Amino acid sequence: MKFKHLSIILLGITSLFTSAQEVNTPIKKTNFFTENTTVQLRSQFSIGGASPLGLPREIRAIKSYNPTLQLGIETNFTKWFSAEHKWGIRTGLRVEGKGMKTESRVKDYLTQINYNGSQVKGNFTGEVRTEVRNTYLTIPLLATYNINKQWGVYGGLYFSTAIDKAFGGHVHNGYLRQTNPTGQKLIFEGDKKAEYDFSNEVNNFQWGTQLGAEWKLNNNFLLFGDLTYGFNSLLDNDFEAISFSMHNIYLNIGFGYQF
Amino acid sequence: MRINHLFQALVLATTFIFTSCIKDEAENNEADIEMANIGKEFLLTAPIVSNDKVTFRVSKSLDLTKVAPEFKLTPGATIVPANGSARDFSNGPLTYEVFSESKQWSKTYKVEFINAEISTIYHFDKFREVAGGFYGNDYYHVFYETQLDDATHEEKELFEWASGNIGYAMTDGSEENAKKPENFPTAATTEGFIGTGLKLTTQSTAPLGPIMGSPLAAGNLFLGEFDLSTAVSKPLKGTKFGMDFNYEPTILRGFFKYKRGDNFEINNTEKNKITEDRWDAYAILFEAGIDDFLFGDHDFKDDKIVSIARIPKELKIETNTWTLFEIPFEYVEGKTYDANKKYKLALVFSSSEEGSLFNGAIGSTLYIDEVEILKN
């Protein structure tokens, strides 16, 4: 279902570009959108996570980490300032998944669990499983520079809006102190676990920086890798049940086709 | 294949980066009394330690004007007055304050010493209203028993009855839907046989209990301790039956009324033995050191059990008039009462016999009053 939406959006974008070209081509004038421009179609997979900047003291160990399969697809448009295609600016539209699964051991970790339907805030010591799976619609705004025929680098900002949000997991093998570290102790052991779901607290808007490089195999095909780092917190700032702010940090690797 | 390796390397690298940033462990924020102790020779049963109260049940030979209890605290925590300070507990409970290792948090404990043996006549006339639940706005009844103090001629609290009410308070997901004492499985009723009495009702835990594996809650009352922190994961291990009792009991006697609910729900077919709901009450004398208890899953089969008085099924009937039950204690084969040994008594009342299996009929209501344990 999600993929269906995705492909419709992409089709729409591609046809937009195509129709723009069709309209513009007959008017044989120097045109901003046709002269010294390139269009790319890219697909990527992302590895990274929602992470605090520097792990807080509450996190005692990362027991497992799974980047999960996070895919993205992008079409972009580059306007070069000269016929040599040295410097240019690039924008586009990207649909991308950002997510991960982790299992960590925490001590005195402020959280909010679902216990028999009650949202219970407290300090948990034990094991926490976290699963993040967000889908974003992203517009990059980048400066591009071609070092030589094969290598190009780019960097700038990106702006995202979340179109599908999931941030949740469960706590187990430990205990919760209700309200604060001196509150009633509730032990979760054996099969007993308590779930949490912060999906509604995921920020709809994300912005950050993107830096990367691309390597052209030939005139059309290219490989690329870039890093994205979110400036604003993944979860709403006024959400108090987690005591530190988390940021989207991802390495994206993929290939593209340049028209 | 190579992509696969690259991917694994990336995962490893990412994990390593995260792991290498693990900071030094913070100082503890908890401020608990984990265990409490005085000389073992004075203890009648293991001290009951809850989140903010410690109860020592001790023998009369302990001089309460000068007791120096020892507390095992959360690692790094400190206590005021200091561990082992002698204090005068003869005038009632005293408070202690525990400070966390980090000094960020502290907690006040009430510490009490009770040096009277438990009574053997129970009127169910004394109860208090206690706030509970996650939002602190649910109120339920806690029964306790008192005795006239010989020296001061004042009513002195002997012990508190345990029930599952504190756990039931946590089956409600809504802050708006505050529960009143009469909504709880265990409550006091003004329609007792004499004065107030005990009313036990099998209640639904819907809408949220079923998801958590406890679709109903039978009303219960027992001698012992309901350990909420354990009951979260192991409901039957959270009910600890037994209080120090050093007589030879002969008869369990009292009055009851019973109305069974309409639909008998069987959630545990494996151990189910009955086809319609019925009430239950029993007393078990068992040999027990200070740390020994019977738990909710004893099934009358524990080696420690010496004698049992249990309502026979002929008496587990519906009646709307107060009806007497008078049940003799029967010895388990090969067991006798030995005045030189230490014993505990488990006394349990339940509105649904198979309530611990979550088999019962919602609405089943048991009234109990004026219970007595006759002894030699």
Side-chain angles (χ1 to χ4, degrees):
Chain A
M1 198 56 207
K2 239 181 274 165
F3 275 103
K4 212 167 163 190
H5 283 304
L6 228 151
S7 45
I8 291 169
I9 293 168
L10 283 172
L11 259 175
I13 295 157
T14 322
S15 58
L16 251 176
F17 275 106
T18 329
S19 59
Q21 280 175 337
E22 273 167 13
V23 170
N24 289 329
T25 323
I27 311 161
K28 294 198 172 166
K29 268 193 194 167
T30 317
N31 188 302
F32 182 83
F33 289 104
T34 53
E35 201 146 299
N36 292 329
T37 60
T38 46
V39 171
Q40 289 181 343
L41 203 60
R42 297 165 156 226
S43 65
Q44 65 177 33
F45 81 86
S46 305
I47 166 169
S51 173
L53 280 185
L55 290 180
R57 295 174 96 176
E58 288 94 327
I59 295 176
R60 303 312 314 146
I62 309 278
K63 295 186 70 187
S64 77
Y65 163 74
N66 181 341
T68 65
L69 186 64
Q70 298 296 332
L71 300 175
I73 190 158
E74 168 184 313
T75 175
N76 65 41
F77 171 86
T78 312
K79 172 70 187 176
W80 302 99
F81 295 128
S82 65
E84 290 80 46
H85 288 197
K86 261 299 184 210
W87 283 96
I89 53 166
R90 177 182 290 174
T91 186
L93 194 62
R94 179 162 76 232
V95 181
E96 57 186 340
K98 289 184 172 177
M100 62 162 188
K101 272 187 208 169
T102 61
E103 175 94 34
S104 47
R105 191 161 54 75
V106 298
K107 176 184 172 185
D108 204 19
Y109 169 85
L110 187 66
T111 187
Q112 180 176 315
I113 60 158
N114 182 329
Y115 184 87
N116 290 0
S118 300
Q119 291 299 315
V120 184
K121 238 194 236 177
N123 296 62
F124 185 79
T125 296
E127 286 169 25
V128 182
R129 192 172 173 78
T130 306
E131 190 168 352
V132 185
R133 192 175 288 273
N134 295 315
T135 308
Y136 293 98
L137 198 61
T138 300
I139 294 175
L141 270 181
L142 308 167
T144 59
Y145 176 73
N146 279 334
I147 300 168
N148 55 36
K149 275 210 148 154
Q150 279 196 311
W151 282 97
V153 292
Y154 52 89
L157 300 174
Y158 69 85
F159 303 89
S160 298
T161 175
I163 52 178
D164 188 35
K165 310 189 287 186
F167 188 114
H170 64 253
V171 300
H172 61 126
N173 252 339
Y175 60 87
L176 184 85
R177 305 300 304 231
Q178 192 186 335
T179 316
N180 66 47
T182 64
Q184 173 68 47
K185 193 176 198 170
L186 303 168
I187 300 173
F188 295 87
E189 58 184 357
D191 297 337
K192 193 74 181 182
K193 57 189 181 189
E195 292 181 353
Y196 66 90
D197 185 354
F198 301 155
S199 298
N200 289 333
E201 318 299 334
V202 172
N203 258 329
N204 279 321
F205 175 69
Q206 280 279 303
W207 74 295
T209 183
Q210 179 176 9
L211 275 173
E214 59 196 30
W215 182 69
K216 293 176 192 72
L217 288 159
N218 56 36
N219 276 341
N220 292 115
F221 284 100
L222 59 99
L223 294 174
F224 70 91
D226 58 46
L227 271 169
T228 54
Y229 166 71
F231 286 144
N232 64 333
S233 169
L234 175 66
L235 299 177
D236 272 339
N237 278 334
D238 45 5
F239 182 55
E240 290 168 348
I242 282 193
S243 61
F244 45 85
S245 79
M246 277 188 271
H247 297 261
N248 271 328
I249 307 171
Y250 285 86
L251 171 67
N252 315 294
I253 295 168
F255 60 90
Y257 184 86
Q258 185 160 315
F259 292 97
Chain B
M1 197 57 206
R2 228 190 295 159
I3 295 276
N4 209 345
H5 281 305
L6 176 73
F7 187 71
Q8 281 175 1
L10 278 170
V11 171
L12 266 175
T14 315
T15 314
F16 177 74
I17 289 164
F18 284 141
T19 310
S20 59
C21 319
I22 300 274
K23 297 214 173 88
D24 289 341
E25 193 160 333
E27 289 179 324
N28 261 320
N29 272 333
E30 289 167 296
D32 287 341
I33 290 180
E34 294 181 342
M35 281 199 282
N37 210 356
I38 51 159
K40 260 210 161 123
E41 65 272 27
F42 299 112
L43 279 177
L44 298 179
T45 185
I48 298 172
V49 182
S50 73
N51 199 41
D52 51 12
K53 188 177 164 193
V54 179
T55 303
F56 288 96
R57 298 184 52 76
V58 294
S59 67
K60 285 228 162 39
S61 58
L62 180 68
D63 177 10
L64 287 190
T65 62
K66 234 171 100 185
V67 196
E70 299 266 354
F71 303 102
K72 182 172 176 279
L73 310 170
T74 306
T78 49
I79 189 165
V80 175
N83 241 336
S85 307
R87 301 177 79 186
D88 180 0
F89 286 90
S90 61
N91 298 316
L94 296 175
T95 59
Y96 282 80
E97 189 149 16
V98 181
F99 296 90
S100 70
E101 181 185 30
S102 65
K103 303 282 178 271
Q104 304 283 311
W105 296 93
S106 69
K107 185 159 58 173
T108 305
Y109 277 85
K110 192 169 112 177
V111 176
E112 64 179 359
F113 280 80
I114 294 169
N115 67 356
E117 284 167 332
I118 64 166
S119 51
T120 51
I121 300 176
Y122 316 112
H123 303 295
F124 304 111
D125 287 338
K126 303 272 167 53
F127 60 90
R128 53 176 77 93
E129 219 167 278
V130 175
F134 287 123
Y135 308 104
N137 61 357
D138 299 313
Y139 288 88
Y140 57 87
H141 289 155
V142 173
F143 285 91
Y144 61 97
E145 297 290 336
T146 59
Q147 199 178 48
L148 266 184
D149 189 273
D150 299 337
T152 60
H153 300 286
E154 279 171 21
E155 289 273 325
K156 218 168 88 175
E157 190 171 326
L158 284 179
F159 69 91
E160 260 183 14
W161 287 92
S163 84
N165 274 355
I166 188 173
Y168 187 76
M170 294 187 168
T171 60
D172 185 356
S174 166
E175 190 170 357
E176 285 83 51
N177 185 19
K179 289 196 280 270
K180 297 187 196 71
E182 60 267 28
N183 304 134
F184 277 85
T186 306
T189 172
T190 50
E191 296 158 34
F193 182 57
I194 299 173
T196 58
L198 169 65
K199 183 188 181 192
L200 304 176
T201 317
T202 301
Q203 305 268 17
S204 163
T205 57
L208 305 154
I211 308 162
M212 308 301 289
S214 51
L216 55 83
N220 62 16
L221 192 82
F222 56 93
L223 285 180
E225 183 191 354
F226 184 85
D227 178 0
L228 177 63
S229 57
T230 302
V232 169
S233 302
K234 299 173 180 166
L236 298 183
K237 294 291 178 200
T239 45
K240 287 162 78 176
F241 298 142
M243 270 211 186
D244 47 284
F245 191 86
N246 289 304
Y247 310 100
E248 183 185 10
T250 53
I251 285 169
L252 167 64
R253 184 164 80 182
F255 293 88
F256 78 97
K257 290 198 292 184
Y258 189 64
K259 170 96 181 69
R260 74 168 63 90
D262 293 332
N263 296 313
F264 186 55
E265 289 177 29
I266 301 172
N267 293 292
N268 183 331
T269 45
E270 195 189 326
K271 292 184 177 167
N272 168 254
K273 285 175 196 149
I274 52 178
T275 53
E276 57 179 10
D277 206 7
R278 60 192 195 192
W279 66 287
D280 201 10
Y282 60 85
I284 299 176
L285 185 78
F286 61 103
E287 218 185 306
I290 57 172
D291 293 317
D292 294 324
F293 297 91
L294 290 179
F295 292 92
D297 54 359
H298 64 77
D299 207 17
F300 303 92
K301 281 175 187 148
D302 200 286
D303 286 341
K304 297 191 286 286
I305 296 176
V306 174
S307 65
I308 301 172
R310 189 179 190 189
I311 307 291
K313 61 176 187 291
E314 297 75 38
L315 256 180
K316 293 178 176 175
I317 50 166
E318 283 190 293
T319 169
N320 56 13
T321 53
W322 285 102
T323 307
L324 174 76
F325 61 84
E326 205 165 26
I327 318 297
F329 277 80
E330 284 173 14
Y331 280 93
V332 172
E333 217 184 303
K335 299 276 180 121
T336 50
Y337 181 81
D338 177 351
N340 296 317
K341 288 184 174 167
K342 295 272 181 207
Y343 294 95
K344 280 180 182 165
L345 185 77
L347 178 54
V348 181
F349 303 96
S350 174
S351 55
S352 291
E353 182 179 317
E354 294 188 352
S356 62
L357 305 173
F358 302 117
N359 297 341
I362 285 154
S364 289
T365 309
L366 172 68
Y367 293 85
I368 293 283
D369 208 358
E370 306 307 318
V371 173
E372 186 175 3
I373 304 271
L374 302 185
K375 55 188 200 277
N376 272 340

